[in-house]
Amino acid sequence: MENIELSNLTVGQYQLLAEIDPKLTAIEQNIYAVAAIKNITYNEARDITMKEFNNIVTAIERIDVKELEKGKINNRVNIGGKLYWIENDPSKLTSGQLLDIINIRANSHGEPLLVMDLIIAALCKPLNGKYGDDDMTLNERAALCRSVKVAEVWNLFIFFYQVWNRYLAHTEDSLTEWMEEVPTKVRKILDESGDSSPS
């Protein structure tokens, strides 16, 4: 019997499992799941013998996400061979991190697991460094985050999303409102001071 420990799954594998289209037939869904677990292509998963295939599918069905919740929130994680600090307090994010996360959320279509790698990448900075000190783009860092064990970041990711929904949703609305009001206020100040050039 294949033994699949949830703690051994990577963020990338977990995301591949979350991406499987529930509208597909059960066998197609299982082929995609096996491909994700074994880090192989869909076509390679189709070539696995039914005995091995059934063992893997049975093991996948036994995976219990609640096991992840027993772990602690871990702010330090090894990403690409370097230690990173993952910030779970939205008020301590930089404006660059906030912008990246707002953009990620806007494109996630309400599916946070599908952008877990990007969210982790946007939340992290080199230990004792600043956001972006690693000279990587968000997507380059996210690619490295897909290799991180999901168990190492799960509780922090979930905690951040719960806090985000309470704190940052209001922050996003406030920032948008502020950004829309500033040009109008500046124009009014300039008009009143007589320093504004005619438009």
Side-chain angles (χ1 to χ4, degrees):
M1 177 69 65
E2 184 87 17
N3 189 21
I4 298 169
E5 294 292 332
L6 185 55
S7 58
N8 289 331
L9 290 184
T10 65
V11 168
Q13 287 173 310
Y14 198 81
Q15 285 181 285
L16 287 173
L17 291 173
E19 286 174 9
I20 296 172
D21 187 347
K23 294 176 186 167
L24 294 173
T25 65
I27 186 69
E28 287 175 305
Q29 290 181 50
N30 286 335
I31 292 170
Y32 277 111
V34 168
I37 294 298
K38 291 189 69 72
N39 290 315
I40 58 176
T41 67
Y42 178 86
N43 285 335
E44 289 170 326
R46 288 173 48 121
D47 291 336
I48 293 174
T49 65
M50 280 308 298
K51 180 178 180 182
E52 182 184 1
F53 185 86
N54 287 336
N55 284 343
I56 297 169
V57 169
T58 301
I60 292 170
E61 290 171 350
R62 286 198 319 258
I63 291 175
D64 183 5
V65 177
K66 290 184 180 179
E67 285 297 312
L68 290 175
E69 297 169 6
K70 295 178 182 177
K72 296 179 182 177
I73 290 180
N74 182 20
N75 291 87
R76 291 179 188 208
V77 67
N78 188 311
I79 299 174
K82 296 180 181 175
L83 273 180
Y84 279 79
W85 175 263
I86 303 179
E87 187 55 67
N88 62 327
D89 182 348
S91 68
K92 293 182 180 175
L93 297 174
T94 66
S95 58
Q97 286 174 293
L98 180 64
L99 178 61
D100 283 344
I101 291 168
I102 288 171
N103 288 333
I104 294 165
R105 258 179 60 112
N107 295 317
S108 72
H109 309 293
E111 298 287 343
L113 289 179
L114 301 185
V115 291
M116 187 177 188
D117 57 338
L118 288 164
I119 292 290
I120 296 298
L123 290 175
C124 70
K125 62 181 184 175
L127 196 62
N128 303 318
K130 295 180 181 176
Y131 185 60
D133 277 355
D134 55 9
D135 293 323
M136 282 190 271
T137 66
L138 178 66
N139 286 329
E140 289 170 336
R141 197 175 314 109
L144 294 176
C145 288
R146 287 193 279 279
S147 298
V148 172
K149 302 288 186 196
V150 73
E152 292 180 32
V153 293
W154 179 261
N155 283 334
L156 183 138
F157 176 75
I158 296 302
F159 177 79
F160 178 81
Y161 243 86
Q162 289 170 343
V163 171
W164 174 286
N165 289 332
R166 289 194 308 267
Y167 174 86
L168 288 182
H170 175 69
T171 301
E172 284 182 73
D173 294 340
S174 299
L175 280 173
T176 302
E177 186 179 324
W178 180 76
M179 293 299 283
E180 290 170 353
E181 287 178 359
V182 166
T184 305
K185 289 180 179 177
V186 169
R187 176 61 52 201
K188 184 177 179 187
I189 291 168
L190 290 174
D191 287 344
E192 289 174 357
S193 69
D195 292 333
S196 174
S197 57
S199 22

